[in-house]
Amino acid sequence: MAATAAMAEQESARNGARNRGGVQRVEGKLRASVEKGDYYEAHQMYRTLFFRYTSQSKHAEARELMCSGALLFFSHGQQNSAADLSMLVLESLEKAEVEVADELLENLAKLFSLMDPNSPERVAFVSRALKWSSGGSGRLGHPRLHQLLALTLWREQNYCESRYHFLHSADGEGCANMLVEYSTSRGFRSEVDMFVAQAVLQFLCLKNKSSASVVFTTYTQKHPSIEDGPPFVQPLLNFIWFLLLAVDGGQLAVFTVLCERYQPSLRRDPMYNEYLDRIGQLFFGVPPKQTSSYGGLLGNLLSSLMGSPEQEADDSQDDSSPIELD
């Protein structure tokens, strides 16, 4: 029995080596075609090989070849061909029902980072990638992939969409550092407190107390326009500080008094009280309102933030509609 198993394992290893060698030989020929500028011919050959490998259930080989091909096309400025092969990488992951792993998420994030930021293919790619990364759990995507996407968008100075993805990651520190840069480069000095207040409230709406606390502490420590605290000069920052303490305590009376006391600061943004209604339900046992006071865009943004079932089923809204700052 042991000898038979060993022979089978050796045969499997030989087959794997042959397959890798075959892929490498094919990849060499395709690379030569691309280097000569025969982009269309090479692209069609990649597609043919993808469907051939897929029909033989060689999903790993297909994925490896499409990924290397996409990177090759990107390096030659062939955005459309690269984006097409990137989508085939995702198709291979879906068909093979591959389990989510860090290496795969990093590969997808790499492809995303090389796509034209303004291309519709990028929007389609990220939506599909996040859906796959959720593993059918109904979540809005894997936190690690959200983090990698957020970092790419931050480098591109696309702060609004970067913040959206940070919200669905577990990287409160990264989010805070991005917000400091966002505030100092694009915001008014009078709004330094609003950048972090919204992020904290949104993290709490997502039941992520840990990231809410980290983003607040990091932001207030690193922002050059915020003096050492607590307490802070800005009333809104004091409110957020007290709110985080109240969330840990879970006492409704404290939460109610806090919201009443700081209404002048909370009226600076009409969304704050909407967020606080949700936070009251999640952490203080406040019953939900019968009807929301907001519809249209604001209602959609709240649904996106809070991950309603309807929103999770809507791929286009999941991944391409970041929550705006006023």
Side-chain angles (χ1 to χ4, degrees):
M1 291 287 291
T4 302
M7 290 177 61
E9 186 173 336
Q10 291 172 0
E11 180 64 22
S12 176
R14 284 194 293 270
N15 288 336
R18 281 197 295 270
N19 288 337
R20 284 193 295 275
V23 170
Q24 289 170 356
R25 284 193 297 274
V26 170
E27 190 175 352
K29 293 179 181 179
L30 291 169
R31 183 176 292 276
S33 293
V34 173
E35 297 290 352
K36 288 191 299 182
D38 295 334
Y39 302 126
Y40 177 80
E41 179 182 339
H43 183 194
Q44 295 307 309
M45 183 57 68
Y46 271 110
R47 290 183 60 84
T48 298
L49 289 169
F50 173 80
F51 293 112
R52 181 181 300 170
Y53 282 145
T54 300
S55 68
Q56 298 169 356
S57 296
K58 295 180 178 180
H59 298 292
E61 291 87 343
R63 184 170 65 253
E64 178 185 331
L65 188 60
M66 294 307 104
C67 190
S68 64
L71 294 175
L72 181 61
F73 278 120
F74 277 128
S75 70
H76 284 77
Q78 300 299 303
Q79 279 282 330
N80 291 339
S81 295
D84 181 58
L85 297 192
S86 297
M87 295 300 283
L88 292 180
V89 171
L90 281 173
E91 185 173 329
S92 174
L93 290 171
E94 293 162 351
K95 286 186 174 180
E97 299 181 352
V98 178
E99 290 189 7
V100 176
D102 279 351
E103 182 181 0
L104 295 175
L105 297 177
E106 288 165 6
N107 288 341
L108 294 178
K110 176 68 173 177
L111 296 174
F112 172 82
S113 71
L114 295 171
M115 291 182 181
D116 178 357
N118 299 314
S119 68
E121 290 82 7
R122 195 190 212 195
V123 175
F125 178 83
V126 73
S127 176
R128 194 167 168 183
L130 286 166
K131 183 176 181 180
W132 169 79
S133 75
S134 69
S137 66
R139 296 181 303 173
L140 296 174
H142 196 284
R144 174 61 176 159
L145 182 55
H146 276 295
Q147 181 192 30
L148 294 169
L149 297 174
L151 292 171
T152 291
L153 292 161
W154 179 9
R155 286 193 295 270
E156 296 173 357
Q157 298 185 331
N158 188 341
Y159 300 112
C160 192
E161 290 196 26
S162 175
R163 181 186 56 215
Y164 171 82
H165 289 290
F166 269 126
L167 281 171
H168 294 286
S169 75
D171 188 4
E173 183 176 0
C175 183
N177 289 323
M178 182 276 295
L179 288 173
V180 169
E181 182 179 309
Y182 188 11
S183 169
T184 54
S185 63
R186 304 279 178 87
F188 295 105
R189 185 181 176 89
S190 61
E191 296 177 341
V192 296
D193 50 351
M194 299 181 74
F195 279 79
V196 71
Q198 187 173 41
V200 170
L201 294 174
Q202 291 171 347
F203 270 124
L204 290 176
C205 285
L206 293 168
K207 297 191 288 186
N208 190 342
K209 288 196 299 181
S210 174
S211 294
S213 180
V214 170
V215 75
F216 180 74
T217 302
T218 306
Y219 182 92
T220 54
Q221 289 177 347
K222 293 190 174 182
H223 200 294
S225 298
I226 296 177
E227 298 178 12
D228 289 344
F232 301 96
V233 173
Q234 298 90 341
L236 184 59
L237 293 182
N238 287 325
F239 169 79
I240 296 296
W241 173 46
F242 285 128
L243 176 64
L244 289 169
L245 294 175
V247 164
D248 284 334
Q251 295 185 16
L252 177 57
V254 174
F255 175 70
T256 302
V257 170
L258 192 58
C259 292
E260 291 174 352
R261 182 74 177 269
Y262 282 91
Q263 271 306 305
S265 294
L266 297 177
R267 282 196 290 268
R268 292 172 64 191
D269 186 330
M271 290 300 296
Y272 288 164
N273 283 313
E274 285 288 308
Y275 295 142
L276 289 167
D277 284 344
R278 178 64 172 166
I279 291 166
Q281 296 166 29
L282 292 173
F283 297 103
F284 300 98
V286 177
K289 290 182 177 180
Q290 293 299 313
T291 58
S292 173
S293 58
Y294 287 102
L297 177 60
L298 294 182
N300 289 338
L301 292 179
L302 274 173
S303 295
S304 175
L305 174 65
M306 296 167 191
S308 68
E310 295 82 5
Q311 187 64 26
E312 289 171 4
D314 185 346
D315 296 337
S316 65
Q317 291 294 323
D318 274 357
D319 311 319
S320 60
S321 300
I323 298 163
E324 300 284 350
L325 263 177
D326 287 342

